[in-house]
Amino acid sequence: MPTIYEVAAAAGVSPATVSRVFNGANVSAEKAEAVRKAAKALAFTPSRTARTLRLQSSEVIALVIPDIENPFFTALARGVEDVARAAGYSVVLCNTDEDHEKELRYLDIALSATMAGVIIAAAGGNSDLSGLLARKCPVVAVDRSPHGVDVDAVIVDNRAGGRAATQALVEQGFQRIACITGPSDVETATQRADGWRDAVTGGRAAEADDRYLRYADFRVDGGAAAMSDLLAMPEPPDAVFVANNLMSVGALRVLSEQGKLPPATGVAVFGDLPFLPLVPIPITVVHMPARHLGTTAAKLLLERINGDDQPARTIVLRNQLTPVG
Amino acid sequence: MPTIYEVAAAAGVSPATVSRVFNGANVSAEKAEAVRKAAKALAFTPSRTARTLRLQSSEVIALVIPDIENPFFTALARGVEDVARAAGYSVVLCNTDEDHEKELRYLDIALSATMAGVIIAAAGGNSDLSGLLARKCPVVAVDRSPHGVDVDAVIVDNRAGGRAATQALVEQGFQRIACITGPSDVETATQRADGWRDAVTGGRAAEADDRYLRYADFRVDGGAAAMSDLLAMPEPPDAVFVANNLMSVGALRVLSEQGKLPPATGVAVFGDLPFLPLVPIPITVVHMPARHLGTTAAKLLLERINGDDQPARTIVLRNQLTPVG
DNA sequence: ACCCTGTCAGAAATCGATTTCACCGTCAAG
DNA sequence: CTTGACGGTGAAATCGATTTCTGACAGGGT
């Protein structure tokens, strides 16, 4: 790796001048030309590390997500990426696997590498953003807003979505509507379950319908296990609201195995499965604007990076109910 | 961000001693204790940037992939991640979107941030790894081995897989077997098509069967467009070999729309669709060991990082043919 | 003539951690 | 009693780019 000093020597100028050439300061035309030629000849690339150390900030933003194998989060990542790179920033993806330890490690890296900012879909429960906030590192929460800390957030109305999805099942005439949701320490999971509870109890007081509620892990196998469990009940449900996309794959798989696919069983899902709609199975889907969540979060973050310090905002995007199949 | 100097001052020692405490060198018990206490009190985290600058290397490896929304690559990423973090490395994901410019930019970053190494599934055509190689930055190619450069590679036997998949269709009695493959400048695409050609021509000389060959883009919509195109032929194919997972989604979607789903049409796919097998559609799948590709590539890279400099190796993993549905 | 302003460019300080070098004790071997 | 080895420590150099400070020089106004 050639350095700025070698370029300077080759061009017969000082390192300061080389730096100025690359940063658009006042340099005479001849020297600028000489520097550019020397730089090309040496295949010089300025060291980002040195630059970051000196400037105490880089043009990299960290995107911290809990499950890289979930298409929802990858679509969201694309949204973040599009906006970020248009503004000259690079995005590095960090997969926490819903694990607080991994999450903390990545946040630590973001901080000690003085990244420009962090967009985070927090792993379950109480993510520790105190380090970032104490150092005034710009943070935007997306999809899930971490417990108790006051940061910009871009979310959807999980309760309303859960309610609408469940309501659709009610209107289709199903009687015993179960709910498979995510970990009880993940906000989106409990809120979607709340929406389900709203709809099944209707105006009436809540009965003991939590018999039909299952907490799983937002993953395929968890959804399958919960579905099996529900179907094994003495009085099994005749419909199910599944609180995320991956779990619905597991649930449908089990229903398929037991010959109870829709329309025999009512199914409503929170979130899209981009690779699902091959075959006409009549299910209800609450569409998640994944990419928009990402672009919006990225825009907020860029504003913060550029010095905006108004009080934290929460942006709630709409999600649409669409029957599929 | 407190620095090592502030910790040193608080603990009443020199910065050198603080560094030694954190790097396991010889320090007396009392001083070590004092340093640790001061560091805790100040919430000190050593600056990775400064460390990287001084050591001229970091514990971060870059994983460069062409499509983050393809489950194959995210599974591969999980494999890389597992191995890397077990060895104390962090992984940053870089999505090139099959775009050479983006790819080059990320490789440039990897270099100028002195990352420990790069694992790359090259965007189509001739990826420029010369910068990395000139600087002796460890590189491992995965899934696709870049044109002309001699680096470690972990791949599957695309031609054999394509042949086996197509052969299965032949044995099922289909007569006019089409092929939808990826961009013609992506090695895996042409190799899989070669395998298809092997099987359809059997022992005989190749006829003009390229009428049934379509180059698409390895994405859902491209697969759909190619399938539509094929079905609009005067003598449409009665079976199709689709060279990657996402395109098969598009193809199946079109077949579904036209009421020609398997078994009416024969379908064989190169690569798994984790979210596909909900409904029993009889298709043939060439299983891709995505995660294994990732773990293997990561292991090779770690060996290189640790100084192994034997000649470049190519590891070919097996892929299994499995009928599904 | 004199001063002021502005442009251009180099020397040197700076960012924060690591590491070499030098030095001081202490203890064991000769 | 000397020599050497070794553990412990700090001062200072180092990694590579940026930026302040400073000075040289040119041109314009009075």
Side-chain angles (χ1 to χ4, degrees):
Chain A
M1 290 292 283
T3 73
I4 204 172
Y5 296 94
E6 299 169 42
V7 175
V13 300
S14 77
T17 300
V18 177
S19 173
R20 285 193 262 256
V21 169
F22 281 92
N23 293 290
N26 283 329
V27 176
S28 72
E30 319 95 83
K31 302 225 175 195
E33 187 50 35
V35 167
R36 256 184 278 273
K37 214 161 66 179
K40 187 143 296 179
L42 294 170
F44 166 73
T45 313
S47 157
R48 274 186 162 71
T49 309
R51 178 167 217 275
T52 300
L53 177 61
R54 178 63 228 247
L55 297 182
Q56 294 292 303
S57 83
S58 65
E59 312 88 350
V60 176
I61 72 185
L63 173 58
V64 181
I65 57 178
D67 183 6
I68 198 186
E69 296 194 79
N70 185 333
F72 165 70
F73 288 113
T74 57
L76 189 156
R78 286 300 305 271
V80 170
E81 213 188 3
D82 289 349
V83 171
R85 66 176 303 111
Y89 287 81
S90 300
V91 177
V92 303
L93 240 93
C94 310
N95 178 38
T96 64
D97 212 11
E98 297 276 15
D99 177 335
H100 277 97
E101 199 187 343
K102 290 190 194 179
E103 182 176 271
L104 201 54
R105 195 178 133 98
Y106 279 119
L107 295 181
D108 202 53
I109 290 180
L111 203 51
S112 71
T114 55
M115 292 191 182
V118 173
I119 297 177
I120 180 171
N126 43 2
S127 287
D128 185 10
L129 303 183
S130 58
L132 296 175
L133 295 175
R135 269 76 164 201
K136 306 202 179 309
C137 173
V139 180
V140 173
V142 67
D143 183 51
R144 310 171 177 186
S145 59
H147 229 108
V149 281
D150 195 34
V151 295
D152 284 339
V154 184
I155 55 178
V156 297
D157 191 336
N158 290 295
R159 186 163 185 165
R163 189 183 321 142
T166 309
Q167 186 60 38
L169 293 172
V170 169
E171 284 162 12
Q172 287 162 40
F174 292 104
Q175 304 289 326
R176 298 178 307 282
I177 303 173
C179 172
I180 300 175
T181 192
S184 57
D185 63 346
V186 175
E187 171 193 81
T188 54
T190 55
Q191 291 174 347
R192 290 171 197 176
D194 287 343
W196 162 78
R197 216 177 267 113
D198 290 346
V200 290
T201 60
R204 312 180 307 279
E207 293 131 44
D209 42 38
D210 277 15
R211 283 186 302 130
Y212 288 119
L213 174 62
R214 292 292 179 280
Y215 293 97
D217 61 359
F218 272 152
R219 292 209 278 245
V220 175
D221 290 345
M227 193 72 241
S228 296
D229 192 41
L230 285 168
L231 292 178
M233 291 175 72
E235 195 179 28
D238 60 355
V240 62
F241 161 59
V242 187
N244 96 328
N245 53 358
L246 294 190
M247 293 193 302
S248 75
V249 173
L252 285 166
R253 190 173 291 164
V254 168
L255 287 173
S256 169
E257 284 163 13
Q258 305 204 7
K260 295 182 176 171
L261 277 179
T265 307
V267 173
V269 180
F270 202 114
D272 311 74
L273 262 175
F275 312 131
L276 181 60
L278 297 175
V279 190
I281 307 175
I283 64 179
T284 299
V285 169
V286 178
H287 171 70
M288 290 278 283
R291 200 148 176 163
H292 265 86
L293 282 167
T295 55
T296 308
K299 283 176 194 160
L300 288 190
L301 186 69
L302 288 173
E303 289 178 16
R304 294 300 184 184
I305 289 173
N306 292 327
D308 184 345
D309 63 345
Q310 62 175 288
R313 299 155 286 181
T314 295
I315 296 186
V316 179
L317 299 185
R318 300 288 170 269
N319 31 27
Q320 279 184 324
L321 192 67
T322 53
V324 170
Chain B
M1 291 291 285
T3 73
I4 204 172
Y5 296 95
E6 299 169 43
V7 174
V13 300
S14 77
T17 301
V18 177
S19 172
R20 284 192 262 257
V21 169
F22 281 91
N23 293 289
N26 282 329
V27 175
S28 71
E30 321 93 81
K31 301 223 174 194
E33 186 52 34
V35 167
R36 258 184 277 274
K37 215 160 65 181
K40 186 143 296 177
L42 294 171
F44 167 73
T45 313
S47 157
R48 274 186 163 71
T49 309
R51 179 166 214 275
T52 300
L53 177 61
R54 178 64 228 247
L55 297 182
Q56 294 293 301
S57 85
S58 65
E59 312 89 349
V60 176
I61 74 185
L63 173 58
V64 181
I65 57 177
D67 183 6
I68 198 186
E69 297 194 78
N70 186 332
F72 166 69
F73 288 113
T74 56
L76 189 157
R78 285 300 306 270
V80 170
E81 212 188 2
D82 290 349
V83 171
R85 65 175 305 111
Y89 288 81
S90 301
V91 176
V92 304
L93 241 91
C94 311
N95 179 39
T96 64
D97 210 12
E98 296 276 15
D99 176 336
H100 277 97
E101 198 189 341
K102 289 190 195 180
E103 183 177 272
L104 201 54
R105 195 179 133 97
Y106 278 120
L107 294 181
D108 201 53
I109 291 179
L111 203 51
S112 72
T114 55
M115 293 191 181
V118 173
I119 297 177
I120 180 171
N126 43 1
S127 286
D128 183 11
L129 302 183
S130 58
L132 296 175
L133 295 175
R135 269 76 167 200
K136 304 199 181 311
C137 174
V139 180
V140 173
V142 68
D143 183 51
R144 311 170 177 185
S145 59
H147 229 106
V149 282
D150 195 33
V151 296
D152 284 339
V154 184
I155 54 178
V156 297
D157 191 336
N158 290 295
R159 184 162 188 163
R163 190 183 321 143
T166 309
Q167 186 59 37
L169 293 173
V170 170
E171 283 162 14
Q172 286 162 41
F174 292 103
Q175 303 288 327
R176 299 179 305 283
I177 303 174
C179 172
I180 300 176
T181 192
S184 57
D185 63 345
V186 175
E187 172 192 82
T188 54
T190 55
Q191 291 175 347
R192 290 170 197 175
D194 287 342
W196 161 78
R197 216 177 268 112
D198 289 347
V200 289
T201 61
R204 310 181 308 280
E207 293 131 45
D209 43 35
D210 277 15
R211 285 186 300 131
Y212 288 121
L213 173 62
R214 292 291 178 281
Y215 293 97
D217 61 357
F218 272 155
R219 290 209 279 246
V220 175
D221 291 345
M227 194 71 241
S228 297
D229 192 41
L230 286 167
L231 291 180
M233 290 174 73
E235 195 178 31
D238 61 354
V240 61
F241 161 59
V242 186
N244 97 327
N245 54 359
L246 294 190
M247 293 194 301
S248 76
V249 174
L252 285 166
R253 190 173 290 164
V254 168
L255 288 173
S256 169
E257 284 163 13
Q258 306 205 8
K260 295 181 175 172
L261 277 178
T265 307
V267 174
V269 179
F270 202 115
D272 311 75
L273 262 175
F275 313 131
L276 181 61
L278 297 175
V279 188
I281 307 177
I283 65 179
T284 299
V285 170
V286 178
H287 170 69
M288 290 278 283
R291 199 153 178 157
H292 265 85
L293 282 167
T295 55
T296 308
K299 282 177 195 158
L300 289 191
L301 186 68
L302 288 174
E303 289 178 18
R304 295 298 183 184
I305 290 173
N306 293 327
D308 184 344
D309 62 347
Q310 63 175 287
R313 300 155 284 181
T314 295
I315 297 186
V316 180
L317 299 186
R318 300 287 169 271
N319 33 24
Q320 277 184 325
L321 192 67
T322 53
V324 168

